[in-house]
Amino acid sequence: MTEYDGIVPALAQALEKHGYVELTAVQKAVLNSGIGQADALVSAQTGSGKTVAFGLALAPTLLGGEERFSHMGAPLALAVAPTRELALQVARELEWLYEFTGAAIATCVGGMDMRTERRALERGAHIVVGTPGRLRDHITRHALDMSGLRAVVLDEADEMLDLGFREDLEFILDAAPAERRTLMFSATVPRAIATLAKGYQRDAVRITTAGEDKQHHDIEYRALSVAPADRENAIINVLRYYEARNALVFCNTRAAVNHLTARFNNRNFSVVALSGELSQNERSHALQAMRDGRARVCIATDVAARGIDLPNLELVIHADLPTNPETLLHRSGRTGRAGRKGVSALIIPYSARRRTERLLHSAGITPAWASPPSADEVMQRDNERMLADPAFAQPIREEERAFVDTLLETHDAEQIAAAFLRLSRAGRSAPEDLAEPVPFKPSPERGERGALRDEKPRRRDDFSDSVWFSLSVGRRQNAEPRWLIPMLCRTGGITKREIGAIRMQPEESFVQIAAASADRFFAAIGPDHKVQGNILVKRLDGQPDLSRAGYNPPKHGKKPHRGKGNFAKPNQDGAGPKRASTTEQKPWAAKPGTPKSDKSRVPKARKKKMPE
């Protein structure tokens, strides 16, 4: 590695030990740009080796011509990362890169013991890596001495601004010495990043790696069109088809993460979840389970997954569509890193096709449009993997010979092969049958959602065959169809066109489901038959008994105006309507001879005050 100018010999030795054969594009760009001791604004894609790049760029500034660091004191460099996972990952990368320099590296990240971090800072460190909020806390408490800083690095600067850390970053940069180097690394350089760089960098060198505005060539993008009810089934089939060592499924909300985690656990997938409600210890255990193979599928929100690095991540699935091109790029950038291949699959309901096309166009991505793998395709892929298993090419060992002979004597070869096939499939989740794909044909006659404009929407009461279900929530619990319908569609895997009438009662609600979808709906809810926490769903044998629930059918016809009597029909002679008598209007009014016990129902006359 010493053939590259600008690499400190100790770092070149560490690169060789770590197995580096060739530097990445951003690492070469940083070394060959001739920045020297100048500031730099570097734009490079996620997973392109930025940590090693700024480690190589910082070494001459920190070592000052020496081969090793001297005694530990005030930090010489500060690296700021947006998330805890990314900060810890940066620290690990710098530890092996600076192994032969004697560098002491400390971390200051949210969720960790602040007292332990303070003691590490008191002992001294050459490089400090942390998250914006925790670094600001240490600076405010005078635990982090900024007086000796020679360089500050902002890693994933665009993500830090997206997460709302602008004020913290400005505080940290203002606290650092004015005579320092400031290096900013970002996947994209929007206006906010350019403004921040202009305010805190001096004559910065702009470094753009090849393909900054293009996508990873190592990522295969696939757009899979599905019926809305088959969205989760399509994800199951994609996971089964690829059988990736590590797969990451992105959702837009915590509720969606919890729902998919519960369902995939029931389907025999080894799955972990990452969302904002988890503690740092739980997050660390989840990521470690992915790294050591105890879990193969991670379901996460965008914020929770920022900065995580899974070396064996081969598949990214967008269960919910990203909201903007930047989010799509950050999600997909978790795979296809450091020269490894990866797949980014978008699960697209038919109604979101046009919106997805605009999103992909904005991101500069041209995906392969297709249908999700069918059950037959998944089974065929399983068979191909089985036939290609290297176990078939290995010779029979001596300790296996006796039992192999016993099997051949007891069963014929066909029976043994069938048993082997059943055993190999026993631990896997069965693929799902998906609805036949609907061809998408854009035309002027179609509306924004791709449906023919002259199609008449089906009425909710147009159900020739249906099944009624009871939900243990009613009007007293503020139940309304506008949130019941999306909840049932999401949890039960159906569309709103498969939901018929809804009858709201004080303590429960009755929902009509199309008979063809009733079994699938009830099975998708799960064995506890509960949705959204503790709402119990029961299947009814026939029509709901609305009388016992206090159901009042709607009354047709207009009601009389409040406070006015009923009106009789016009007289035959053309006279106007005659107002009903007072006694007819108010049946509770007193009549002659009203018993004393009934006088309590008669309103008391207001007494007039007589003048004195």
Side-chain angles (χ1 to χ4, degrees):
M1 304 302 296
T2 54
E3 65 188 64
Y4 294 100
D5 296 335
I7 294 185
V8 174
L11 272 63
Q13 184 181 355
L15 290 171
E16 291 178 357
K17 179 182 177 181
H18 206 69
Y20 263 68
V21 178
E22 185 180 3
L23 296 179
T24 64
V26 64
Q27 294 160 4
K28 292 179 181 178
V30 169
L31 292 175
N32 299 334
S33 61
I35 60 175
Q37 302 295 321
D39 295 348
L41 175 59
V42 184
S43 55
Q45 295 172 354
T46 302
S48 57
K50 294 194 296 292
T51 304
V52 173
F54 70 70
L56 297 175
L58 285 178
T61 302
L62 303 184
L63 288 170
E66 302 292 332
E67 293 188 1
R68 292 180 60 86
F69 287 102
S70 58
H71 68 282
M72 295 183 298
L76 302 177
L78 182 66
V80 190
T83 63
R84 294 170 287 192
E85 285 75 18
L86 183 57
L88 297 176
Q89 175 191 329
V90 169
R92 289 193 298 267
E93 292 283 302
L94 294 179
E95 283 174 355
W96 69 258
L97 183 62
Y98 281 81
E99 176 185 358
F100 300 107
T101 64
I105 299 175
T107 58
C108 300
V109 299
M112 298 297 186
D113 191 343
M114 200 168 186
R115 296 167 298 177
T116 303
E117 295 175 348
R118 189 182 300 116
R119 287 192 291 267
L121 294 174
E122 290 173 354
R123 289 193 298 267
H126 299 105
I127 303 174
V128 174
V129 183
T131 51
R134 178 54 61 90
L135 289 173
R136 180 173 182 173
D137 287 343
H138 283 298
I139 295 172
T140 304
R141 299 167 189 263
H142 305 288
L144 178 57
D145 185 0
M146 303 280 282
S147 61
L149 282 185
R150 299 178 185 176
V152 176
V153 179
L154 303 184
D155 191 16
E156 303 287 2
D158 54 345
E159 290 192 22
M160 286 192 280
L161 294 187
D162 289 343
L163 295 175
F165 289 129
R166 173 183 285 276
E167 184 178 346
D168 293 333
L169 292 178
E170 292 176 347
F171 178 88
I172 293 170
L173 293 172
D174 288 335
E179 299 297 325
R180 68 172 192 279
R181 291 185 66 190
T182 304
L183 306 180
M184 292 188 184
F185 286 74
S186 180
T188 58
V189 185
R191 181 179 299 178
I193 293 295
T195 302
L196 186 67
K198 185 177 180 180
Y200 290 95
Q201 288 186 318
R202 295 168 301 176
D203 301 324
V205 177
R206 179 74 166 88
I207 300 176
T208 302
T209 59
E212 172 199 356
D213 298 325
K214 301 177 183 178
Q215 296 314 305
H216 294 289
H217 296 292
D218 294 329
I219 298 179
E220 175 189 356
Y221 286 89
R222 297 187 65 81
L224 307 177
S225 298
V226 299
D230 276 339
R231 170 178 158 271
E232 294 178 13
N233 294 337
I235 298 174
I236 290 173
N237 283 11
V238 171
L239 290 172
R240 286 283 288 105
Y241 183 82
Y242 286 101
E243 286 291 338
R245 287 180 291 178
N246 279 162
L248 188 55
V249 181
F250 279 100
C251 301
N252 289 344
T253 63
R254 296 181 189 176
V257 169
N258 295 335
H259 170 70
L260 284 185
T261 302
R263 183 167 187 206
F264 288 177
N265 269 322
N266 292 337
R267 294 300 305 269
N268 249 2
F269 287 99
S270 53
V271 60
V272 294
L274 278 183
S275 62
E277 61 190 359
L278 300 181
S279 66
Q280 176 59 31
N281 192 36
E282 291 172 328
R283 293 165 63 89
S284 299
H285 281 301
L287 291 175
Q288 187 58 39
M290 293 289 289
R291 292 190 181 102
D292 60 27
R294 287 179 289 120
R296 299 180 64 179
V297 180
C298 177
I299 305 175
T301 56
D302 293 312
V303 173
R306 283 186 181 270
I308 66 173
D309 181 31
L310 298 173
N312 297 321
L313 187 65
E314 300 172 342
L315 175 64
V316 170
I317 299 177
H318 308 265
D320 294 323
L321 290 177
T323 55
N324 53 62
E326 289 76 18
T327 302
L328 173 60
L329 300 185
H330 282 303
R331 285 181 175 185
S332 302
R334 299 300 104 197
T335 187
R337 301 165 74 94
R340 294 185 295 269
K341 301 294 182 181
V343 175
S344 178
L346 294 90
I347 308 300
I348 304 169
Y350 299 145
S351 59
R353 168 94 184 217
R354 294 183 182 276
R355 178 163 60 93
T356 305
E357 288 177 336
R358 291 193 294 267
L359 175 69
L360 293 169
H361 178 73
S362 301
I365 296 172
T366 304
W369 286 87
S371 299
S374 64
D376 292 338
E377 290 172 335
V378 172
M379 300 299 288
Q380 182 180 353
R381 190 66 179 267
D382 285 343
N383 295 341
E384 293 172 357
R385 278 190 288 261
M386 187 183 303
L387 291 174
D389 196 304
F392 287 104
Q394 296 176 0
I396 300 175
R397 297 193 293 265
E398 280 300 321
E399 61 269 20
E400 300 170 339
R401 173 65 64 181
F403 190 66
V404 168
D405 293 340
T406 302
L407 284 176
L408 291 173
E409 292 173 0
T410 309
H411 306 284
D412 57 27
E414 186 177 283
Q415 188 64 32
I416 294 174
F420 172 73
L421 182 62
R422 297 188 194 104
L423 290 173
S424 64
R425 291 178 176 175
R428 299 175 181 172
S429 177
E432 293 285 350
D433 280 327
L434 304 180
E436 289 294 327
V438 176
F440 181 84
K441 297 179 180 179
S443 69
E445 297 178 355
R446 289 184 177 267
E448 179 64 23
R449 296 182 177 272
L452 291 177
R453 289 179 179 173
D454 57 357
E455 274 185 0
K456 293 182 179 180
R458 189 177 69 180
R459 295 174 54 190
R460 290 191 180 278
D461 57 354
D462 186 17
F463 276 63
S464 57
D465 192 10
S466 62
V467 177
W468 284 88
F469 290 87
S470 168
L471 277 62
S472 61
V473 62
R475 285 193 296 266
R476 292 180 182 173
Q477 292 79 30
N478 297 323
E480 295 180 350
R482 65 180 179 180
W483 65 263
L484 281 179
I485 292 175
M487 177 193 69
L488 295 175
C489 293
R490 182 176 61 253
T491 309
I494 59 176
T495 65
K496 61 182 181 180
R497 299 176 69 90
E498 298 169 273
I499 300 177
I502 297 178
R503 299 285 184 258
M504 308 297 300
Q505 310 302 315
E507 298 292 345
E508 63 181 329
S509 302
F510 299 107
V511 181
Q512 185 184 29
I513 305 292
S517 308
D519 293 339
R520 173 164 51 86
F521 167 77
F522 204 47
I525 291 176
D528 57 352
H529 299 155
K530 290 184 178 181
V531 295
Q532 196 159 322
N534 58 354
I535 300 178
L536 183 63
V537 179
K538 295 181 181 179
R539 181 169 181 159
L540 305 181
D541 293 333
Q543 295 285 336
D545 185 4
L546 301 178
S547 59
R548 64 177 178 82
Y551 173 71
N552 296 319
K555 296 179 180 180
H556 300 285
K558 295 183 179 180
K559 296 180 180 179
H561 293 285
R562 188 185 302 272
K564 294 184 179 181
N566 298 323
F567 288 85
K569 293 182 179 180
N571 298 331
Q572 293 180 356
D573 56 1
K578 183 188 298 182
R579 177 183 284 272
S581 65
T582 305
T583 305
E584 294 175 14
Q585 177 186 356
K586 302 178 181 179
W588 45 264
K591 298 179 181 180
T594 302
K596 186 176 182 180
S597 58
D598 291 335
K599 287 184 178 180
S600 60
R601 300 180 59 189
V602 180
K604 295 181 179 180
R606 182 178 298 175
K607 295 181 180 180
K608 296 183 180 180
K609 187 175 181 181
M610 302 297 293
E612 295 180 356

